[in-house]
């Protein structure tokens, strides 16, 4: 995977660095080394599929592939007619690198974890930018990614999302009994599709300047 687009700022944020903290050159060098290692092992893949959406009373959501109740997601999906169900993964190679350094050098393993998280997010953003462009050409407008576990969207829906995409067979993503995904750097999400021309920020509502937006994702 091309690591040049991965936000170094995000890696440092996942490591707990705040804006005002001074970052030592050695940390920056280590971040580069970790991204290099991960870039060699990552095999990013994704799947996406559209489903019709029905929003009921009491925050009921029926997407065909899953049914749930979530106030936060219902608000985000208002005025949408369809949803895109999405899954992406970096593959098992990045997990093996992290596991190796868990035994060899814990300080590097911590940076690898942060770098791999920034890497899967960057990959998801790239795919979503392409989807946004493709759907906007057909006058469909994409809401930001909303993942199970975010706000009151139940984490248990992860299983239905993966089944709806056949992601086990096609991407090799499995769920542990605690609903964690393996490979660990995997993401599932839904994105509303609306005919209303709202040009959402791919990086999500937190990065969007429309603070009074009626669909703003809240947790
Ligand atoms: S706040 Fe921005 S990104 Fe979020 S739903 Fe509204 S327009 Fe889209």
């Amino acid at each position: 995977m091309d690591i040049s687009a991965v936000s170094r700022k995000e890696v440092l944020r996942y490591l707990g660095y705040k804006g005002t903290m001074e970052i030592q050159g050695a940390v920056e060098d280590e971040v580069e080394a970790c991204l290099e290692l991960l870039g060699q092992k990552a095999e990013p893949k994704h799947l996406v599929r559209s489903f019709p959406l029905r929003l009921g009373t009491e925050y009921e959501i029926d997407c065909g592939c899953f049914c749930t109740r979530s106030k936060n997601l219902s608000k985000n999906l208002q005025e949408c007619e369809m949803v895109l169900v999405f899954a992406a993964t970096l593959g098992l190679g990045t997990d093996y690198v992290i596991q190796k350094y868990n035994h060899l050098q814990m300080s590097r393993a911590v940076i690898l974890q942060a770098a791999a998280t920034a890497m899967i997010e960057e990959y998801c953003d790239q795919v979503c930018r392409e989807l946004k462009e493709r759907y906007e050409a057909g006058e469909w407008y994409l809401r930001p990614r909303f993942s199970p576990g975010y706000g009151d969207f139940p984490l248990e829906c992860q299983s239905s999302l993966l089944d709806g995409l056949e992601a086990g067979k096609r991407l090799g993503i499995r769920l542990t009994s605690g609903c964690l995904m393996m490979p660990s750097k995997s993401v599932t999400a839904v994105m509303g599709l609306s005919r209303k021309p709202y040009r959402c920020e791919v990086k999500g509502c937190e990065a969007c300047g429309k603070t009074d937006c009626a669909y703003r994702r809240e947790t």
Side-chain angles (χ1 to χ4, degrees):
M1 178 177 167
D2 176 15
I3 56 164
S4 61
V6 179
S7 165
R8 274 53 177 174
K9 238 169 98 181
E10 282 297 282
V11 179
L12 294 171
R13 192 174 67 81
Y14 289 125
L15 282 170
Y17 283 90
K18 306 234 162 66
T20 51
M21 277 173 147
E22 200 179 313
I23 298 147
Q24 306 288 324
V27 175
E28 287 177 314
D29 292 348
E30 189 58 12
V31 167
E32 290 309 314
C34 288
L35 283 169
E36 190 70 41
L37 270 173
L38 293 166
Q40 288 162 11
K41 298 291 177 194
E43 290 181 295
K45 288 187 200 124
H46 73 278
L47 288 170
V48 65
R49 191 174 159 194
S50 62
F51 290 89
L53 170 68
R54 194 185 64 79
L55 293 175
T57 53
E58 306 281 324
Y59 312 118
E60 284 167 2
I61 301 165
D62 180 354
C63 295
C65 122
F66 72 93
C67 294
T68 193
R69 219 181 265 270
S70 161
K71 185 178 175 185
N72 300 132
L73 182 57
S74 287
K75 181 183 173 195
N76 185 248
L77 294 178
Q78 286 303 311
E79 300 190 83
C80 289
E81 292 167 43
M82 301 216 292
V83 291
L84 292 184
V85 171
F86 171 83
T89 183
L90 292 183
L92 279 173
T94 49
D95 279 353
Y96 291 147
V97 180
I98 297 168
Q99 274 160 25
K100 181 176 152 189
Y101 282 94
N102 270 335
H103 299 294
L104 286 180
Q105 191 185 345
M106 190 46 102
S107 59
R108 174 164 280 196
V110 170
I111 297 181
L112 283 165
Q113 274 287 0
T117 305
M119 198 176 250
I120 183 69
E121 285 301 320
E122 174 55 33
Y123 176 64
C124 291
D125 288 350
Q126 282 174 13
V127 173
C128 290
R129 256 178 238 121
E130 286 165 21
L131 288 170
K132 185 170 145 73
E133 219 170 276
R134 196 194 317 157
Y135 277 94
E136 281 188 10
E139 295 184 18
W140 284 101
Y141 298 89
L142 216 64
R143 296 276 161 83
R145 294 193 296 280
F146 209 116
S147 294
Y150 200 92
D152 62 357
F153 183 16
L155 189 60
E156 292 67 32
C157 288
Q158 199 121 260
S159 161
S160 309
L161 265 60
L162 292 170
D163 288 347
L165 293 167
E166 296 182 275
K169 192 169 77 185
R170 299 168 69 194
L171 293 182
I173 303 177
R174 317 246 167 245
L175 278 185
T176 66
S177 52
C179 258
L180 295 177
M181 284 184 283
M182 293 302 292
S184 68
K185 298 306 170 197
S186 302
V187 165
T188 59
V190 297
M191 293 171 269
L193 276 173
S194 161
R195 285 292 187 187
K196 222 174 162 184
Y198 253 71
R199 289 203 169 79
C200 289
E201 168 62 59
V202 164
K203 287 198 172 293
C205 299
E206 296 77 5
C208 178
K210 296 174 197 136
T211 47
D212 59 348
C213 170
Y215 318 117
R216 196 169 179 86
R217 189 172 68 177
E218 281 171 8
T219 57

